[in-house]
Amino acid sequence: MKKIISLLLIATLMLTGIVMVSCADDTKTNENEAVENASDADLNETPEEPEVKKLTVNEGKLTMGTNAQFPPYEYYEDGKIVGIDAEIAAAIAEKLGLELVIEDMEFNSIITAVVSNGVDMGLAGMTVTEERLESVNFSTSYATGIQSVIVVEGNGVESLDDLAGKKIGVQLSTTGDIYASGDYGEDNVIKYNKGADAVLALIGGDVQAVIIDNEPAKSYLAANPDAGLKILDTEYAVEEYAAAINKENTELLNAVNAAIEEMILDGTIDAIVAKYIPAE
Ligand code: ARG
């Protein structure tokens, strides 16, 4: 049966070919190019070509994986995930004619979810790193991130040099974790599931510093006004945030890039950021 079908297919293809050739002959010289293009397009529609990959894992939806423990980029307000990333994602989804669905998960699981097509994109104040680029593609960057050091005033950590030999709290698998583990040794780096837990450990004296992204750091300071927390003046690292997308899904990558680039140019991203990070 299979054989018959493929024979039929070949016959059809040959017939189409003949018709196309005769068309081309009829139209003669000047329109030749247009005819060639048209026949290329026709050929693309034959069942032999691979099916066009669908844009998202759930049709009509843009599923975003995030870790909503990261104010002001993503956090809960009245039971809803809000923040800079949530709004940027909503704007991207709207441009793509998709409905945004946000899935909250451990930060550690986001890349895996992107790779296994559990979600379409990871948007989580996520830094572009060489290592992550081995498993996913990153979109055009939409923000700059800074790794900052939070300490308790008077606890003996005044500069990056003072960090050697101290216990440092981080959120598991973040760049703060990766860099600090490299610079100060795994033994000195205590990994928490949430940034807020690392800050609680700092307040409780279990660690002497927390290395975390600057905007969340500022939120944690604001949330604990009486704890004597301060952010060191020296930045530990400067990074770029971008959306992580499955390597196979270049169509979605291109669409997300186009949306982000448009929103950078027309001021949408700046407006969203300004809503959550008031100018100092
Ligand atoms: N920028 C850091 C990183 O990419 C931390 C991101 C943490 N994000 C979050 N939603 N918890 O590793």
Side-chain angles (χ1 to χ4, degrees):
M1 186 63 182
K2 253 202 178 137
K3 219 175 199 165
I4 299 176
I5 292 177
S6 47
L7 279 177
L8 271 175
L9 199 71
I10 291 169
T12 321
L13 279 177
M14 282 169 70
L15 271 178
T16 331
I18 291 162
V19 173
M20 276 192 282
V21 167
S22 53
C23 272
D25 279 343
D26 283 343
T27 32
K28 301 283 179 236
T29 47
N30 49 352
E31 270 162 37
N32 265 356
E33 224 191 302
V35 170
E36 258 170 42
N37 286 340
S39 47
D40 279 346
D42 288 348
L43 280 177
N44 281 339
E45 275 163 29
T46 66
E48 301 237 303
E49 289 295 316
E51 210 182 277
V52 175
K53 196 178 180 306
K54 63 181 170 87
L55 207 63
T56 63
V57 292
N58 286 312
E59 220 180 305
K61 305 208 160 117
L62 179 67
T63 311
M64 151 183 169
T66 198
N67 169 248
Q69 301 289 339
F70 200 65
Y73 289 92
E74 44 266 335
Y75 58 100
Y76 281 91
E77 202 174 77
D78 303 327
K80 228 187 117 214
I81 297 174
V82 297
I84 295 171
D85 288 341
E87 291 209 20
I88 290 178
I92 294 174
E94 202 189 321
K95 278 186 190 291
L96 272 49
L98 299 167
E99 182 199 331
L100 178 68
V101 176
I102 303 183
E103 280 189 25
D104 190 14
M105 54 188 74
E106 299 290 337
F107 183 72
N108 206 6
S109 308
I110 299 174
I111 298 263
T112 319
V114 171
V115 170
S116 62
N117 282 319
V119 299
D120 296 306
M121 72 173 183
L123 200 65
M126 190 182 282
T127 305
V128 180
T129 70
E130 288 300 320
E131 202 194 331
R132 290 173 184 164
L133 276 167
E134 283 172 19
S135 3
V136 294
N137 276 334
F138 276 104
S139 71
T140 301
S141 167
Y142 62 91
T144 299
I146 293 167
Q147 292 298 313
S148 287
V149 183
I150 316 177
V151 300
V152 174
E153 218 136 357
N155 81 344
V157 183
E158 295 296 331
S159 73
L160 294 181
D161 294 338
D162 297 332
L163 284 174
K166 301 276 166 28
K167 294 282 180 242
I168 302 167
V170 295
Q171 184 182 15
L172 178 69
S173 288
T174 60
T175 45
D177 176 8
I178 298 161
Y179 306 153
S181 300
D183 289 347
Y184 303 103
E186 289 280 349
D187 288 352
N188 293 316
V189 178
I190 319 289
K191 299 153 197 251
Y192 298 88
N193 270 327
K194 304 174 185 176
D197 290 344
V199 173
L200 284 181
L202 173 65
I203 295 170
D206 295 338
V207 298
Q208 281 74 57
V210 167
I211 296 184
I212 200 153
D213 303 54
N214 192 49
E215 292 304 329
K218 285 178 4 197
S219 301
Y220 296 136
L221 255 64
N224 299 284
D226 302 322
L229 299 176
K230 74 169 183 188
I231 297 174
L232 294 188
D233 286 337
T234 323
E235 295 165 350
Y236 180 53
V238 179
E239 325 175 299
E240 293 298 328
Y241 292 166
I245 293 175
N246 190 294
K247 282 202 174 186
E248 311 262 285
N249 201 350
T250 46
E251 283 172 55
L252 182 64
L253 178 70
N254 292 338
V256 168
N257 279 345
I260 291 179
E261 281 153 28
E262 245 173 71
M263 292 194 289
I264 290 173
L265 285 177
D266 72 9
T268 307
I269 302 248
D270 280 346
I272 294 173
V273 171
K275 194 173 145 188
Y276 289 90
I277 307 176
E280 274 144 29

